Amino acid sequence: MPIEFTHIPGKTADAAVPFFYDFAETATKLGLIEDSGFQKIVVDDSAGLLTNMDLASQVLNRTASLEVVLTHWAGVIDPTVAARQLASIDKESGGRLALRMISEPLNDDDAEIRPVGHGVVWQRIDEYLVLLKRLWSNDRPFDHEGAFYSIKGGYVPRKGPHGADLVIRMGGQSGTALKVAGRHADLFELAPGSIDDIRQLMERARGAAAEYGRAGKLRFALPVRIHQGVSAAGHQAVDLSGPPAQVALSLLAYAALGIDEFMVVGVDRPHEIATVGRETMALLRNSLARREADAPQLGRFISRERGPQAANRGPS
């Protein structure tokens, strides 16, 4: 699968308001983001979960191919309501929605109802995701009584095109977070760090997924900050700077680890979007394509060397 790029919006040009504040300006940028080769965009607004859902719908309505990565968390909306709304958004977009589950909300508005303790937070996320998937796939109403949620006659009549296979994105570094991600995540968002740090986290995530028979199904995304500038609040990323060829070379080293996606932070001005898309991303994709094209030729060369003539050479 080729490398994909996801745009993480930061601030507008004046660095004072969120990316989605002026949607007339945003619509122009969305077109540029899409045309420049980004496949996805993260919706992660500080206004909260309901605003994120509304923004996701607007972005999907104003783009033709961009997948929206909707930031979401448990504890704000009842699972049945959330499952119905998310299925509706996914259905209306033709299946271009992905769900990015985080462990904490972007603000403390729900501090009084939020469970206390890291392990308890992840237990609630686990139960929440189990219920979402069940609601997206069941063909008749069901009841549920769990540690955090009670449902009577839970049912979503209008399923999304993916059903229970809607892409779930998660992250985390603790054993508890990795266990829940190993059970549910299709794509694991890595924490920034050195090459060795990232490799070790990937191995831990695969190990957690292997406990559920999902090690081969887990893909990886790495947040990267390209160029210096205003970054998106709440997003830590690997810092990369320099001309497009130098940045592409740095990305190539991370891609060699088996990373499937780069989440680009801090690229919000039109010329930055265009440069990263049409130069940095294009250079990386061309380099990866050349490597893939060279690999079969190397294999054929080795096969010829190991053919009958090579076998008859005997020891030298």
Side-chain angles (χ1 to χ4, degrees):
M1 180 179 294
I3 291 286
E4 295 185 316
F5 285 86
T6 296
H7 185 270
I8 300 183
K11 303 290 185 179
T12 53
D14 61 9
V17 294
F19 179 87
F20 295 105
Y21 181 81
D22 182 348
F23 219 93
E25 179 184 349
T26 299
T28 301
K29 288 185 179 179
L30 287 173
L32 180 57
I33 289 168
E34 192 169 25
D35 292 341
S36 297
F38 285 89
Q39 287 85 15
K40 307 171 187 177
I41 185 168
V42 171
V43 172
D44 188 3
D45 193 84
S46 59
L49 181 56
L50 296 177
T51 298
N52 280 350
M53 288 184 167
D54 180 58
L55 289 174
S57 295
Q58 293 187 55
V59 173
L60 289 164
N61 288 335
R62 286 167 171 78
T63 57
S65 62
L66 274 182
E67 177 181 312
V68 166
V69 178
L70 173 60
T71 303
H72 193 79
W73 55 91
V76 179
I77 303 177
D78 178 84
T80 304
V81 176
R84 185 180 298 114
Q85 292 180 339
L86 293 168
S88 178
I89 294 171
D90 194 36
K91 186 177 182 65
E92 291 174 0
S93 72
R96 290 189 286 131
L97 182 69
L99 193 62
R100 178 174 180 260
M101 291 297 301
I102 62 173
S103 62
E104 294 290 337
L106 301 179
N107 53 55
D108 291 327
D109 291 345
D110 73 338
E112 293 184 359
I113 62 173
R114 192 188 319 159
V116 178
H118 176 80
V120 179
V121 167
W122 282 99
Q123 289 171 21
R124 183 174 70 173
I125 293 172
D126 182 44
E127 184 178 342
Y128 185 79
L129 288 173
V130 167
L131 289 172
L132 287 186
K133 291 179 178 180
R134 190 174 178 186
L135 287 160
W136 287 332
S137 61
N138 66 317
D139 56 5
R140 58 176 59 89
F142 68 90
D143 297 338
H144 168 85
E145 195 66 43
F148 303 96
Y149 299 104
S150 177
I151 293 177
K152 300 295 182 183
Y155 182 65
V156 174
R158 296 181 67 233
K159 315 292 186 187
H162 293 117
D165 293 327
L166 183 76
V167 173
I168 304 295
R169 303 168 61 109
M170 303 179 74
Q173 298 183 66
S174 70
T176 304
L178 287 170
K179 182 177 181 179
V180 178
R183 182 180 184 185
H184 294 290
D186 302 293
L187 190 142
F188 188 88
E189 295 184 2
L190 296 156
S194 67
I195 291 285
D196 286 340
D197 290 338
I198 292 169
R199 182 187 293 110
Q200 291 173 15
L201 182 55
M202 291 172 71
E203 291 173 355
R204 292 179 64 207
R206 285 196 187 100
E211 296 182 12
Y212 298 94
R214 305 181 65 250
K217 298 180 180 180
L218 193 62
R219 296 181 295 119
F220 294 93
L222 179 68
V224 294
R225 182 176 292 106
I226 300 177
H227 301 299
Q228 297 300 313
V230 180
S231 63
H235 291 283
Q236 296 181 340
V238 172
D239 283 307
L240 302 175
S241 61
Q246 180 179 333
V247 174
L249 188 62
S250 299
L251 292 175
L252 194 61
Y254 288 104
L257 295 177
I259 290 170
D260 304 277
E261 175 188 319
F262 290 110
M263 305 172 68
V264 180
V265 181
V267 176
D268 293 296
R269 294 175 174 84
H271 75 276
E272 294 173 337
I273 296 169
T275 299
V276 169
R278 295 167 186 169
E279 297 186 35
T280 305
M281 288 161 48
L283 286 167
L284 176 62
R285 286 175 173 141
N286 289 339
S287 297
L288 290 171
R290 285 196 298 270
R291 284 190 175 187
E292 291 179 2
D294 291 342
Q297 294 177 10
L298 178 60
R300 287 194 297 271
F301 175 77
I302 293 173
S303 296
R304 288 197 301 270
E305 285 294 298
R306 292 177 179 173
Q309 293 180 349
N312 291 332
R313 287 176 185 167
S316 57

